[in-house]
Amino acid sequence: MKRLHVHIAVDDLQKSIGFYSALFAQQPTIEKPDYAKWALDDPRVNFAISMRGRKAGLDHLGIQVESDAELSEMQSRLTRAELPLASQQATACCYARSDKHWTMDPQGIAWESFHSLSDVPVFGQDHSQQSAEASTCCVEESCATTAKAEIQQKSSCCAPGAA
């Protein structure tokens, strides 16, 4: 079963944790000094917030899958739709090791489809083990910002005008 993923950059993590904990009627599933995540079943969503030195607001959206087969299905959907795609294998980002596929919608919002493989103790540097292009994602920039740049380099016809 898939789960919607929403990641929002915030200015005040503790205040935001208080707000979203009240909204969702539960404390975060994961809480770090710069990050919090709720893996909710009602509504079924992976909702994350972080303070990583970025402008507050929507960071990216995504679909979290539970298996390699579901991730492959998501990749096939994006490929069939002829959307720009950046893939990462065993990347460490947002306190998890994951396989991912990134794309951008027509408005320039980054979308990721991902299968989390394990937890990691640090926010991470979103490096693809299969790629010589190591990004600095999740250090100062968001995973979504780095993926957006990779997608724009691969397919300038699909890049939004004001990303």
Side-chain angles (χ1 to χ4, degrees):
M1 180 179 296
K2 297 167 187 71
R3 180 185 305 256
L4 180 67
H5 169 64
V6 177
H7 188 126
I8 297 177
V10 299
D11 288 325
D12 185 324
L13 190 71
Q14 291 307 309
K15 188 174 182 178
S16 296
I17 287 172
F19 172 80
Y20 290 114
S21 292
L23 180 67
F24 300 138
Q26 74 179 58
Q27 292 300 306
T29 308
I30 296 174
E31 188 173 340
K32 304 291 184 181
D34 58 353
Y35 177 85
K37 178 177 79 176
W38 291 258
L40 303 169
D41 289 322
D42 183 19
R44 188 157 170 80
V45 64
N46 167 338
F47 185 86
I49 61 176
S50 65
M51 287 182 40
R52 304 298 297 176
R54 295 184 310 273
K55 180 180 172 188
L58 179 65
D59 189 74
H60 64 276
L61 299 169
I63 304 291
Q64 181 180 7
V65 301
E66 296 179 351
S67 69
D68 290 337
E70 285 183 327
L71 185 60
S72 183
E73 174 194 344
M74 294 302 298
Q75 180 185 20
S76 294
R77 289 180 188 181
L78 298 172
T79 301
R80 279 193 309 273
E82 298 181 357
L83 294 171
L85 193 64
S87 297
Q88 299 173 313
Q89 299 296 309
T91 188
C93 186
C94 303
Y95 299 98
R97 182 160 316 284
S98 304
D99 291 339
K100 302 179 179 196
H101 301 292
W102 288 92
T103 193
M104 256 190 306
D105 75 8
Q107 291 71 238
I109 297 171
W111 278 81
E112 70 174 320
S113 51
F114 64 100
H115 177 214
S116 291
L117 308 170
S118 63
D119 292 338
V120 294
V122 295
F123 195 84
Q125 290 182 284
D126 201 22
H127 295 280
S128 172
Q129 290 184 351
Q130 294 184 346
S131 170
E133 302 173 283
S135 72
T136 57
C137 170
C138 299
V139 177
E140 293 297 325
E141 292 185 286
S142 73
C143 304
T145 301
T146 302
K148 232 185 239 193
E150 288 178 22
I151 290 167
Q152 288 172 335
Q153 288 173 357
K154 290 181 180 185
S155 180
S156 60
C157 68
C158 300

